[in-house]
Amino acid sequence: MSQSQPRPARVRFAPSPTGYLHIGGARAALYNFLLARQTGGQFILRIEDTDRKRFVPEAEADFMENLRWLGLEWDEGPDKGGPYGPYRQTERAALYRQYAEQLVDRGHAYYCFCTPERLAKLREEQRRKKLPPRYDGHCRHIPLEEAKARVAAGEPHVVRFKTPREGSITVHDLIRGDITVANKDIDDYILLKSDGLPTYHLAVVVDDHLMRITHVLRGAEWLGTFPLHGHLYRAFGWEEPVWVHLSTFLKPSGKGKISKRDADIFRKDHKSVLVKDLREFGYLPEAVDNWIALMGWSYDDRTEFFTLEDLIEKFSLERLKPSPAAVNFKKLDHFQGLHVRALDPRDLAQRLVPFYHRAGYTQVTAADLEPIVPLIQTRITTLDDAPRLTGFFFEDEVHPDPAELVPKGLTPAQALEVARRALAVLEALPDVKAATTEPPLRALVDELGLHARQVFGLIRVAVTGQRVSPPLFESMEVLGRDKVLARMRQAVALLEALAAQDTAPQGD
RNA sequence: GCCCCCAUCGUCUAGGGGUUAGGACACGGGCCUUUCAAGCCCGCGGCCGGGGUUCGAAUCCCCGUGGGGGCACCA
């Protein structure tokens, strides 16, 4: 055990159900999860669904499904409950109103009756005057009794934070240090919307406090309102968690953030920033975890391969980096390769099954794939490469391009002769085990005075229908004698036709 | 327009007052080789700019510049 005994961390991933889990969210979830597991604490899933306009019904299920796929199981959440529930903010609505009123009563917040129209006009004016858009405090000084009466009378209203007009506030981010902002630059943010639901600012502070969150690891997009959150904690008199703002992800060029447009372009290229896509494209969760873990965090100056277990052991907040990181899909492919090769072949065979089914090989089982896996484990990147590379094993027949049966430097007639000789060698053998077929076929190469690549290349195309395939002798062994011989005979026939056509008198 | 954050090879990063500035991906070359991979070896390539502090700055400070985020009854 390590000599320092960190206190158990209670951390959370708190997505808004307005879209699908993307790598930015997944990374935040991963780091939170790692901290919880490393310290023996709890990892909480909380759904921040207070924006009813942008609500996407299937989003919550997507988060849960893909978080689990990544191996990031939570201890408390909407589906499994816990001592600090409920874990969906819309189910906690009454709570926020109560805390908002508490702030009003203590003079830290006020009711505001301004209409959206008035606010729009105000902002327009400020934009014209090149002033920062900010609430003008119109309702800030309405006597509390009067305001309460209007609220009681049912007048539409919101609750705003009464940001101090003077002075400044200093908040602390673990990896950035102190951040000081003048209060005049902080707006009177809305805490409670007219629909009675809280904004992020109120909800996050109330929930993190009530749920005893010890560390907040969230995206850097919250840096701007971080000072407001500091004010809220102080107004409530609550102890703040440790704050860490995670660096943002940039597009692969490093120039600019990833737009919706960029995301669509990635998908055309079999890449994506959505976890569900990566899963569908045949990436391993191990590879995705490894990849995102290293965008904004490092262990040392050389170690890059990590399993989730490794990460739980080695993760540390101190080694988080504050600077933005460009996503690099080539690096994802690299990690994918490392993890594919690290997999137990039988495990890989099982994971491959759904990809064969999807490719149309619906009868394929893990047992069928076990002899094939060793032939392709170093040759595939994403899992859906496998059926493309090895579909010929499961086809009744293959359809080689006759031209590809002719090795470089040979005429069709010469190729035909090679095919006949190779077929004769194979027919004379008792089986097509690699150890059986390789020596006599190599002998044939010598006898014919050709290069191995010429003869084996011809057989490869004949037997697999492809110019690129797994190693020839092992492939023939898996294919079996009947299919090997049938396909060789087919190749001979194809070459006979080609040779005949080749030697036929040419029209002028 | 205002506020905040960030800055080492193309990209992810290590390091950090005196180093041949280290690793990885990508890229180029070689080895291996029945194709394609994998593996191994070699190479290319970097401290954003300007001031200051200092015997000495890539490292500390300031100012620029560049990039990012925010300035909603969205999160």
Side-chain angles (χ1 to χ4, degrees):
Chain A
M1 298 285 355
S2 65
Q3 41 280 79
S4 66
Q5 206 57 253
R7 276 137 274 323
R10 277 185 62 81
V11 292
R12 82 308 194 270
F13 175 53
S16 175
T18 53
Y20 300 103
L21 182 66
H22 54 82
I23 55 175
R27 186 192 54 170
L30 172 65
Y31 290 164
N32 277 292
F33 169 87
L34 295 176
L35 190 62
R37 289 292 167 272
Q38 181 177 80
T39 61
Q42 292 83 41
F43 174 51
I44 296 146
L45 176 63
R46 184 174 74 215
I47 304 298
E48 308 217 328
D49 56 350
T50 56
D51 183 351
R52 305 317 290 170
K53 294 189 195 80
R54 293 196 307 158
F55 181 76
V56 174
E58 65 270 28
E60 184 179 311
D62 179 79
F63 293 142
M64 298 206 275
E65 194 177 327
N66 288 301
L67 246 20
R68 284 200 167 104
W69 180 70
L70 289 169
L72 312 181
E73 185 67 46
W74 50 98
D75 303 298
E76 300 168 27
D79 59 327
K80 57 200 323 176
Y84 299 90
Y87 294 90
R88 270 185 213 97
Q89 290 184 330
T90 48
E91 295 169 17
R92 303 165 65 80
L95 221 47
Y96 308 114
R97 163 135 237 138
Q98 175 191 324
Y99 281 99
E101 283 166 2
Q102 184 185 122
L103 247 25
V104 171
D105 290 338
R106 290 185 190 174
H108 291 302
Y110 59 94
Y111 294 107
C112 172
F113 304 94
C114 292
T115 62
E117 294 70 35
R118 177 178 185 275
L119 296 176
K121 231 178 94 185
L122 176 66
R123 243 175 264 126
E124 176 51 36
E125 212 169 295
Q126 287 164 332
R127 188 166 31 244
R128 225 179 37 239
K129 292 180 183 164
K130 303 217 165 194
L131 289 169
R134 214 91 77 196
Y135 182 62
D136 61 357
H138 184 72
C139 295
R140 193 166 154 127
H141 301 295
I142 297 172
L144 185 53
E145 287 314 306
E146 180 191 330
K148 282 192 169 174
R150 288 169 70 176
V151 168
E155 188 172 339
H157 64 280
V158 300
V159 173
R160 285 181 183 273
F161 188 65
K162 192 183 274 184
T163 306
R165 287 288 164 84
E166 308 287 316
S168 63
I169 182 169
T170 298
V171 284
H172 186 82
D173 177 285
L174 189 71
I175 55 177
R176 288 161 227 267
D178 285 344
I179 296 168
T180 300
V181 177
N183 287 332
K184 68 172 172 53
D185 292 323
I186 305 172
D187 204 355
D188 280 4
Y189 284 96
I190 288 172
L191 301 178
L192 202 69
K193 301 183 281 184
S194 58
D195 65 2
L197 288 171
T199 57
Y200 171 84
H201 311 299
L202 209 220
V204 75
V205 166
V206 168
D207 284 350
D208 284 345
H209 173 256
L210 258 27
M211 293 181 182
R212 305 269 187 272
I213 298 302
T214 58
H215 300 71
V216 172
L217 278 59
R218 74 213 311 189
E221 66 268 24
W222 297 112
L223 233 26
T225 46
F226 182 22
L228 193 235
H229 305 325
H231 266 128
L232 251 8
Y233 270 91
R234 289 164 210 195
F236 279 120
W238 294 338
E239 191 188 339
E240 291 179 50
V242 173
W243 300 99
V244 186
H245 292 87
L246 273 13
S247 61
T248 43
F249 285 166
L250 271 28
K251 62 177 88 182
S253 62
K255 305 247 179 280
K257 59 167 183 173
I258 298 162
S259 67
K260 179 77 183 71
R261 204 183 126 85
D262 296 323
D264 291 339
I265 294 170
F266 296 157
R267 297 182 87 256
K268 289 198 182 87
D269 194 27
H270 210 70
K271 308 286 179 231
S272 182
V273 292
L274 297 183
V275 176
K276 66 170 180 122
D277 288 341
L278 296 176
R279 174 186 187 177
E280 185 189 319
F281 294 164
Y283 285 97
L284 254 22
E286 290 91 333
V288 177
D289 282 332
N290 201 155
W291 181 50
I292 60 181
L294 257 24
M295 300 180 70
W297 177 83
S298 63
Y299 176 63
D300 60 15
D301 64 339
R302 52 196 66 250
T303 317
E304 292 212 312
F305 181 91
F306 295 97
T307 63
L308 241 202
E309 288 302 309
D310 294 336
L311 290 170
I312 289 170
E313 185 191 324
K314 309 221 153 109
F315 180 72
S316 61
L317 295 174
E318 292 69 30
R319 297 192 64 89
L320 250 16
K321 227 179 118 97
S323 46
V327 301
N328 183 345
F329 291 111
K330 291 267 179 57
K331 195 102 182 188
L332 169 60
D333 284 345
H334 169 66
F335 283 124
Q336 169 76 2
L338 293 182
H339 281 95
V340 163
R341 279 169 252 139
L343 239 37
D344 178 274
R346 295 180 56 190
D347 185 2
L348 179 54
Q350 287 192 343
R351 299 208 207 192
L352 249 14
V353 170
F355 290 89
Y356 278 86
H357 289 181
R358 216 175 58 195
Y361 303 106
T362 55
Q363 303 305 310
V364 168
T365 65
D368 295 331
L369 294 176
E370 277 183 30
I372 292 173
V373 163
L375 308 186
I376 60 171
Q377 197 156 9
T378 62
R379 276 169 252 268
I380 59 171
T381 301
T382 48
L383 301 187
D384 62 356
D385 287 340
R388 270 197 294 279
L389 192 60
T390 62
F392 67 88
F393 283 119
F394 303 104
E395 303 284 0
D396 290 333
E397 47 186 38
V398 293
H399 307 283
D401 176 348
E404 289 185 353
L405 286 167
V406 182
K408 253 204 168 63
L410 299 190
T411 65
Q414 291 171 310
L416 171 60
E417 177 60 15
V418 173
R420 281 177 172 152
R421 295 291 301 273
L423 172 60
V425 166
L426 288 166
E427 281 177 323
L429 295 171
D431 60 59
V432 289
K433 286 187 168 42
T436 308
T437 56
E438 184 165 354
L441 285 174
R442 284 199 185 278
L444 177 65
V445 169
D446 290 341
E447 192 188 327
L448 295 173
L450 295 171
H451 293 290
R453 56 186 307 135
Q454 294 175 300
V455 176
F456 298 164
L458 187 161
I459 302 173
R460 177 190 316 285
V461 173
V463 160
T464 69
Q466 305 168 182
R467 215 159 12 182
V468 173
S469 82
L472 179 61
F473 301 108
E474 288 79 357
S475 294
M476 290 199 294
E477 176 168 338
V478 172
L479 245 194
R481 188 164 192 270
D482 290 350
K483 277 189 178 175
V484 169
L485 294 182
R487 290 178 188 185
M488 282 305 295
R489 289 181 187 121
Q490 171 183 252
V492 168
L494 287 169
L495 284 169
E496 280 169 348
L498 190 64
Q501 174 190 328
D502 195 55
T503 54
Q506 303 289 311
D508 77 327

